[in-house]
Structures are given as structure tokens and as C-alpha cells.
Amino acid sequence: MIEKPLTPADVEFVTTLHGDDQGSFVVLMQPRGKQDVLLRAIDDVALGEFDEAVREGEEITAELPVERALSHTLASLRATGAEAVGQVVEDHPLDLLTSVVEQTHADEVIVLTAPHFVEEFFHRDWASRARHKVGVPVLKLFSHAPDEPAKGGS
């Protein structure tokens, strides 16, 4: 599960998590919605990104449309030799995630998002909620800027 396109470092990180084993990915992308503006602003303040917190209410036109963002991510994963399919999720991503895990007999779920301190504190983030639903291990990773090294989560 992702909320924005994977950076090259994200792609390298997820495709090398298991050494030389070639992975297969089903990517579910649900971008952060307008309902999350307050939570994003709180996260920005917690990270010391005050300019970002002020701009959270503004419409950012430079972002890729979600379909293009997903296509970019799938192409990046495929370029490594991995199999990758995906879809945009409008509502209830965990319900869809559960059915995808069952249908594909997935070994694990990777949730790759920016840190969301409020949701994580109350265990309402995707990874925490997925751990109670999907029946396979759930790995939470934090996405990052293109020039940032890859990093894991809990």
C-alpha cells in the first residue's frame, strides 16, 4: 500500500528486501485525501516543517494525477525485473488489501507511507490496522524524498 509514487530509493529498497529473490508486487495506491489536511498539518509541525503545515490547505497542482503516479510506480518496479500490477483505491483500502492477500496468497504486506504521527500514536495508521486484518506479516516503511537514503519503520 502506498499513498504517493515510489522514489527510486523506495523501489530499490522494496525490491531488495529479500536479497536476490525476485519479488512480485500488487500495488494498492490511495493518496491522502482532503479529509486528512489537519492530520498532515500536525505531522508537518511535529517534523518541524512549519512552511509545509501552513500550505496544507492549498491545492498542490504539481502533483501527478493518481493514475499517472501509479503507472510510474509500476513501471519503476518492472524496470528492476519484478512483476508488478496495481490499482487506485478510492475507499476502504484495508478491505481490498485483505481480499488481494487472500486471492494472491501473499507472503507479506508492505505499507510504505510518510510518517503520520497522530494516526500512528493511536494505531489508526494503515500498517497497524492491517496487522489485525490480513493474516500475514505487515512491514511498515517510510517513504522519502528522491535524494534521501532508504529507511525502514516498525
Side-chain angles (χ1 to χ4, degrees):
M1 290 186 64
I2 62 174
E3 61 189 9
K4 63 182 184 177
L6 298 184
T7 66
D10 291 331
V11 170
E12 180 182 355
F13 193 47
V14 299
T15 57
T16 60
L17 274 173
H18 300 291
D20 293 333
D21 293 343
Q22 194 60 264
S24 173
F25 297 89
V26 177
V27 179
L28 302 180
M29 181 172 192
Q30 185 179 47
R32 302 282 288 180
K34 292 185 187 298
Q35 71 276 11
D36 297 321
V37 171
L38 177 60
L39 292 176
R40 288 195 314 261
I42 292 170
D43 289 340
D44 290 338
V45 169
L47 291 169
E49 297 173 355
F50 303 112
D51 292 340
E52 291 297 319
V54 171
R55 288 195 299 261
E56 282 299 349
E58 300 173 5
E59 194 66 32
I60 299 173
T61 57
E63 290 184 15
L64 290 174
V66 66
E67 292 83 10
R68 279 189 43 212
L70 177 60
S71 294
H72 170 77
T73 292
L74 295 176
S76 297
L77 289 168
R78 290 177 188 139
T80 70
E83 294 179 30
V85 297
Q87 70 183 76
V88 174
V89 181
E90 298 296 329
D91 296 311
H92 309 295
L94 296 175
D95 293 339
L96 179 59
L97 178 62
T98 301
S99 67
V100 167
V101 166
E102 291 170 358
Q103 291 171 4
T104 63
H105 305 287
D107 295 325
E108 71 181 346
V109 168
I110 298 172
V111 176
L112 194 137
T113 67
H116 301 297
F117 298 111
V118 174
E119 292 165 326
E120 290 169 21
F121 180 78
F122 291 106
H123 301 283
R124 300 302 303 155
D125 60 297
W126 287 343
S128 296
R129 292 169 53 202
R131 286 183 180 117
H132 299 287
K133 242 183 130 106
V134 298
V136 297
V138 176
L139 178 61
K140 177 171 59 174
L141 303 175
F142 295 124
S143 59
H144 50 283
D147 58 346
E148 215 178 338
K151 59 190 175 239
S154 60

